[in-house]
Amino acid sequence: MRWTDDRSDNVEDRRGLGGGAVVGGGLGTLIIAAIIFFLGGDPSSILSSGAGSGAARTEQRELSQNELKIREFVKMVTAENEETWTKIFAENGMQYKPAKVILFEDTTQSGCGVAQSAMGPFYCPADQSVYMDMSFFKELESRFGAKVTEFSIAYVMAHEMGHHVQTLLGTTQKVDELRRSGRYSEAEMNRVSVATELQADFYAGVWAKQTDSREHILEPGDIQSAIEAAEAVGDDNIQRRSQGYVNQESFTHGSSAQRKEWFMKGYNTGDIKQGDTFNQLLK
């Protein structure tokens, strides 16, 4: 992936600061481990501001040169998301409000409750922020078979920014209303969740297309690395690797094939209006 000179000020780096609560083990930790690497969405159903216990971390440390480079990369990708989505929103008569990106390690406090690295990157609608512990990408490679590149990291960030776009457009709120209404079964809400996640993948593809058209960020192999990351976190791949079998009714993010399909549809069209996953999937 070719770097640009753009950097965003909407990145907060909490790594090395210390002071984070150490979340206790037990059943809650096992539940979190079971949903590890399910990208994105509203984590409020599994996060709790009162989760866990234990002493606070107080040690601080200097960030390494590699960690500082990662911060610069995240600032760059955040800036490119801001530029692209500001342009897309303006073209559709709307105003884009940037999300905040928070880098952390182990655990931190979010607007949706306590965030842990085991949850993977996620977007919190309550504070309109993306939370990322970069250790996720080591697990993505070692446990789920995706080759991690700079652009696969950019894809994950773009997916989370896709959830922010959904919040700005009111999609997140409508899905939450459905969930809270109690009128729909778990299986029905799982289908809604799949549509929500695949739309975020679609938006990531739109971002890749439009950003490359403006900044020429893509290098050979970049799109393939994003596809591999998308396929790695497909529900079927995760279930097969974690429990040895696939239960399609329990899908919440979409299969590997679906995640590839919708990312590529976004990339091939570059048109935000082509991403109505809800009408496509909930007929």
Side-chain angles (χ1 to χ4, degrees):
M1 178 179 180
R2 193 181 71 82
W3 286 43
T4 71
D5 294 329
D6 299 322
R7 300 291 185 272
S8 173
D9 293 328
N10 292 314
V11 175
E12 178 183 346
D13 194 347
R14 298 180 183 175
R15 300 171 301 167
L17 296 179
V22 177
V23 178
L27 182 60
T29 304
L30 295 176
I31 293 173
I32 290 168
I35 61 166
I36 191 170
F37 308 128
F38 280 59
L39 295 180
D42 179 356
S44 57
S45 61
I46 59 169
L47 292 173
S48 169
S49 58
S53 60
R57 289 188 292 107
T58 57
E59 70 276 7
Q60 298 186 17
R61 64 176 181 82
E62 292 282 336
L63 295 181
S64 68
Q65 288 300 311
N66 185 58
E67 287 172 321
L68 294 174
K69 182 180 179 181
I70 288 172
R71 178 200 291 166
E72 285 301 297
F73 178 76
V74 170
K75 284 185 174 183
M76 178 194 70
V77 175
T78 302
E80 298 307 337
N81 271 274
E82 291 168 355
E83 287 198 35
T84 294
W85 286 112
T86 295
K87 176 178 176 287
I88 293 173
F89 270 54
E91 290 171 347
N92 289 276
M94 299 177 292
Q95 185 173 2
Y96 181 73
K97 178 185 176 183
K100 191 170 187 178
V101 177
I102 297 173
L103 291 169
F104 73 100
E105 54 189 359
D106 299 329
T107 181
T108 193
Q109 189 68 31
S110 80
C112 295
V114 175
Q116 297 182 63
S117 58
M119 296 166 183
F122 69 88
Y123 172 74
C124 174
D127 57 12
Q128 297 191 7
S129 297
V130 173
Y131 289 82
M132 296 185 67
D133 185 324
M134 303 303 289
S135 64
F136 163 80
F137 295 100
K138 296 178 182 178
E139 295 292 331
L140 185 65
E141 193 164 45
S142 64
R143 293 189 58 189
F144 293 98
K147 181 181 178 181
V148 174
T149 67
E150 288 181 344
F151 193 74
S152 56
I153 296 173
Y155 152 71
V156 171
M157 289 185 62
H159 174 98
E160 302 307 337
M161 291 294 184
H163 286 305
H164 179 59
V165 170
Q166 290 173 323
T167 296
L168 297 181
L169 296 178
T171 306
T172 304
Q173 295 85 332
K174 291 177 182 177
V175 170
D176 194 48
E177 288 173 9
L178 291 178
R179 183 179 295 110
R180 293 176 185 275
S181 71
R183 298 195 303 268
Y184 301 93
S185 68
E186 181 179 356
E188 289 171 326
M189 286 310 304
N190 283 346
R191 292 176 63 203
V192 172
S193 177
V194 167
T196 303
E197 296 299 329
L198 294 179
Q199 187 176 67
D201 279 331
F202 171 84
Y203 289 157
V206 170
W207 170 81
K209 180 71 169 185
Q210 295 228 11
T211 304
D212 186 55
S213 295
R214 188 185 71 252
E215 295 284 358
H216 307 293
I217 61 171
L218 293 178
E219 295 180 321
D222 280 346
I223 291 299
Q224 183 59 35
S225 72
I227 289 173
E228 289 179 5
E231 291 177 332
V233 289
D235 285 323
D236 51 344
N237 185 52
I238 291 176
Q239 289 184 359
R240 193 176 293 111
R241 287 175 177 265
S242 62
Q243 63 190 24
Y245 63 91
V246 173
N247 177 10
Q248 191 168 348
E249 286 190 1
S250 67
F251 284 6
T252 57
H253 285 60
S255 68
S256 296
Q258 286 177 311
R259 301 201 71 161
K260 173 184 176 180
E261 174 190 355
W262 282 97
F263 171 79
M264 288 306 299
K265 184 175 182 180
Y267 177 72
N268 288 329
T269 66
D271 181 5
I272 189 176
K273 295 177 182 177
Q274 303 299 315
D276 190 350
T277 54
F278 295 91
N279 278 335
Q280 290 277 336
L281 299 170
L282 302 180
K283 294 178 181 179

